[in-house]
Amino acid sequence: MVKKIRVRIAPSPTGSPHVGTAYTALFNYIFAKKHKGEFILRIEDTDRERSTLEANRAILQGLDWLGIDWDEGPNIDGPYGPYYQTERLKIHQDYAQQLLKEGKAYYCFCTPEELEKKRKEAAERKEAPRYDGRCRKLSEAEIKKLEQSGKPKVVRFLLPPIGKTIVHDIIRGDVVFQNELLDDFVILKSDGFPTYNFACVVDDHTMEISHVIRGDDHLSNTPRQILLYQAFGWKAPKFAHLPMILGKDKARMSKRHGATSVIAYKDIGYLPEAVLNYIARLGWGYGDQEIFSRQELIDKFSLKGVGKNPAVFDTDKLNWLNGKYIREILPERLIDLCEPLLLEAYGKIDFKYLKKVVLICHDRLVLIPDIVTLSKYFFTDDFEYDPEAVEKHFKTDYAKKILASLKEKLAKLDPFTKDKIEPIFKDLAKDLGVKLGVVIHPCRLALTGTLQSPPMYDVVEVLGKQKVNQRLVKAIDSLPR
Ligand code: GLU
């Protein structure tokens, strides 16, 4: 029987989950969906000092926002739980006991000070620090005595000292590690908590994980994990190590590169589908196609299409994608996203008016909060004229005449609608024998203070007769006679 595809992400709640977490989550999620398998979220919270509830919440929130739903994990119990690693302590300890009994692990009583001293000595000899295995040969009686003296102990894995361990990686091919370069690593700490490599193997095995898809910063851990699988006589899952995400300066993505926490992208004004599309394309390609719906990602994704080289995070490209996605979303959703920002910036606003403003600005947004600056002149009269535009479009022979004429004609217009507004501009240009732009530019500047705005006739209609009149009067008064 073919084993069911079961993949997982196993984030540690030790800081806000960054884009790397979302990236690993997405690839696992797509892989699971593609193969009709299951995607599991396991929270690796055994680092008690650094794990926080806040970071845990941020992981759940970030994935939730992106719509990367897990089939089993926190809040969604399944048959392989618990899904918080600390709640699995007994399982880890029992398996550590099994290795101890079988002579595949041993107690070590070396103190942190002794180990530190050895590390320093190794560094002086320019050697990689490795545990020298001194507690391997402790007799039962010696162990008892040390235990009775109250000396803290850890459990170390007895590593096969020779030979090599090969990671058959789906993305990178075979990667060979010489066992002699590894050492008897700790599997259970003195506080009884498992170390990452040990807990990961026990949990991946007991949760029947079929594929481990994770960042290649873990590649060096994989031989240790494979050796543990061998010691238990378990079949190891298949491994795929995803390339790292780097900032534009080619350094590993960090806080320095702007928003790294997943949920921060929401606050900046990205749409989850844009972020998903962007991160999917970061490490994976499908010809030169850039835009993928979630279903298309599922249909077209393969681990073989994942590159080996680190991916560079490019905010400009993400912004471009976001703008594209914003243009596609339903007006209702856009209004929902923009409304709180506009209310915060400009106070109470008539909802009908707000709706109209958002709709005519729709095509111009790159990030959702752009709505606030782009629509400023709809909500306040307090704006300056762009000085460069003033030179070009107010200080002309025609400007005053054009604005005065528009003021007069628009004041009489009823109904004040786009289809009636348009001919006024066109006729005026014709009467004056000038191009349409010569009429539009000074008017745009008078009404908005800028030369960039949504189409003029829309702006005139939405601002309404009274506001348009006031602004034209103000502009005319500002011009020399
Ligand atoms: N807790 C590890 C991390 O957050 C999990 C790595 C893995 O997927 O095995 O990096």
Side-chain angles (χ1 to χ4, degrees):
M1 204 182 84
V2 184
K3 217 173 142 189
K4 181 144 198 172
I5 300 286
R6 286 177 55 83
V7 291
R8 84 321 186 254
I9 55 158
S12 303
T14 50
S16 44
H18 55 81
V19 64
T21 313
Y23 168 72
T24 318
L26 177 64
F27 282 32
N28 276 282
Y29 167 88
I30 300 176
F31 187 77
K33 292 278 167 261
K34 186 173 183 77
H35 297 284
K36 313 240 174 317
E38 272 135 19
F39 169 59
I40 290 108
L41 171 60
R42 180 173 77 229
I43 304 287
E44 295 203 333
D45 56 348
T46 46
D47 184 343
R48 298 313 293 153
E49 264 161 43
R50 292 173 57 233
S51 295
T52 66
L53 285 176
E54 205 189 341
N56 181 61
R57 192 165 342 110
I59 293 169
L60 307 189
Q61 269 177 351
L63 294 177
D64 208 39
W65 177 63
L66 290 171
I68 302 182
D69 306 327
W70 49 100
D71 300 300
E72 292 167 32
N75 308 328
I76 303 187
D77 244 349
Y80 298 86
Y83 297 93
Y84 281 94
Q85 203 159 52
T86 42
E87 291 172 23
R88 304 174 64 80
L89 224 54
K90 171 88 173 61
I91 308 176
H92 304 133
Q93 288 171 349
D94 286 352
Y95 278 114
Q97 279 305 323
Q98 180 182 325
L99 289 186
L100 281 164
K101 267 197 209 111
E102 292 172 358
K104 293 170 181 165
Y106 60 91
Y107 288 118
C108 166
F109 294 85
C110 295
T111 62
E113 295 72 34
E114 284 161 357
L115 295 172
E116 185 50 35
K117 192 166 160 252
K118 296 245 172 258
R119 242 191 301 276
K120 277 204 181 121
E121 286 166 8
E124 271 160 28
R125 292 193 304 272
K126 301 217 180 336
E127 284 171 15
R130 292 175 69 240
Y131 179 62
D132 60 8
R134 69 170 47 202
C135 289
R136 259 185 224 167
K137 294 176 212 75
L138 289 177
S139 67
E140 292 266 322
E142 282 169 313
I143 292 173
K144 252 217 170 87
K145 212 166 127 205
L146 284 161
E147 276 176 336
Q148 274 160 4
S149 74
K151 219 177 164 195
K153 62 177 190 286
V154 300
V155 179
R156 283 185 187 272
F157 178 56
L158 181 57
L159 196 98
I162 49 164
K164 57 193 178 191
T165 302
I166 304 173
V167 179
H168 301 292
D169 188 278
I170 299 174
I171 296 168
R172 316 181 152 256
D174 285 358
V175 188
V176 181
F177 293 85
Q178 300 301 330
N179 292 352
E180 60 183 345
L181 298 177
L182 308 173
D183 65 357
D184 294 351
F185 56 92
V186 175
I187 58 175
L188 222 52
K189 294 180 271 187
S190 55
D191 58 5
F193 277 73
T195 55
Y196 157 66
N197 279 313
F198 185 65
C200 182
V201 165
V202 169
D203 291 346
D204 283 342
H205 173 74
T206 49
M207 292 183 170
E208 294 188 26
I209 298 302
S210 62
H211 292 71
V212 168
I213 306 169
R214 61 183 167 207
D216 67 7
D217 49 336
H218 283 290
L219 183 59
S220 60
N221 284 317
T222 309
R224 291 182 180 86
Q225 297 186 7
I226 290 177
L227 288 165
L228 281 168
Y229 281 104
Q230 289 169 356
F232 280 116
W234 296 337
K235 186 170 182 290
K238 295 200 162 56
F239 292 99
H241 290 91
L242 303 170
M244 286 280 89
I245 305 176
L246 308 179
K248 241 187 171 160
D249 56 0
K250 305 279 156 68
R252 205 177 146 178
M253 190 82 175
S254 72
K255 284 221 174 66
R256 260 186 323 113
H257 300 99
T260 48
S261 125
V262 176
I263 208 73
Y265 287 86
K266 175 184 181 201
D267 300 336
I268 293 172
Y270 291 105
L271 296 179
E273 54 270 49
V275 174
L276 272 191
N277 190 147
Y278 180 69
I279 54 181
R281 279 288 288 109
L282 256 183
W284 167 81
Y286 193 82
D288 45 22
Q289 184 174 344
E290 291 290 355
I291 311 281
F292 294 86
S293 68
R294 187 180 292 245
Q295 192 52 48
E296 247 182 310
L297 285 177
I298 295 169
D299 294 341
K300 296 185 169 167
F301 180 79
S302 87
L303 279 173
K304 294 250 183 305
V306 176
K308 290 194 189 68
N309 296 328
V312 177
F313 195 92
D314 177 355
T315 308
D316 294 339
K317 192 162 165 202
L318 172 59
N319 289 351
W320 169 79
L321 260 176
N322 204 54
K324 259 185 150 2
Y325 272 96
I326 288 183
R327 288 194 284 283
E328 298 294 316
I329 65 173
L330 288 177
E332 291 75 15
R333 181 165 161 219
L334 185 68
I335 292 162
D336 267 0
L337 291 167
C338 293
E339 188 187 1
L341 303 176
L342 290 172
L343 294 182
E344 194 191 326
Y346 302 117
K348 205 164 160 261
I349 306 168
D350 172 61
F351 184 63
K352 258 197 185 148
Y353 182 64
L354 180 144
K355 231 164 93 175
K356 284 190 204 158
V357 171
V358 172
L359 293 186
I360 66 166
C361 294
H362 191 156
D363 286 355
R364 312 177 72 79
L365 304 179
V366 171
L367 299 170
I368 298 294
D370 291 348
I371 190 68
V372 174
T373 37
L374 282 177
S375 68
K376 181 173 175 193
Y377 51 85
F378 282 108
F379 301 109
T380 168
D381 297 320
D382 181 22
F383 60 82
E384 304 281 326
Y385 300 126
D386 168 0
E388 231 176 86
V390 166
E391 289 299 318
K392 219 165 147 199
H393 299 291
F394 272 179
K395 297 193 177 161
T396 65
D397 298 342
Y398 283 115
K400 196 159 188 162
K401 193 169 164 196
I402 288 169
L403 294 178
S405 179
L406 284 174
K407 182 192 82 147
E408 206 176 300
K409 292 188 164 124
L410 290 168
K412 285 192 216 127
L413 197 64
D414 193 34
F416 203 73
T417 52
K418 208 165 97 172
D419 54 322
K420 298 271 183 274
I421 292 164
E422 186 170 342
I424 289 183
F425 283 77
K426 289 198 167 151
D427 293 348
L428 183 60
K430 210 156 142 205
D431 291 350
L432 296 173
V434 293
K435 284 194 182 144
L436 187 57
V438 176
V439 176
I440 285 186
H441 295 321
C443 179
R444 196 190 294 281
L445 187 56
L447 300 185
T448 72
T450 73
L451 292 181
Q452 280 94 39
S453 82
M456 189 74 281
Y457 314 131
D458 290 310
V459 174
V460 173
E461 181 186 310
V462 172
L463 273 174
K465 196 191 267 189
Q466 199 189 352
K467 272 248 144 26
V468 168
N469 188 270
Q470 283 167 1
R471 289 197 185 165
L472 288 174
V473 169
K474 186 176 159 196
I476 293 166
D477 289 351
S478 80
L479 292 180
R481 295 194 156 268

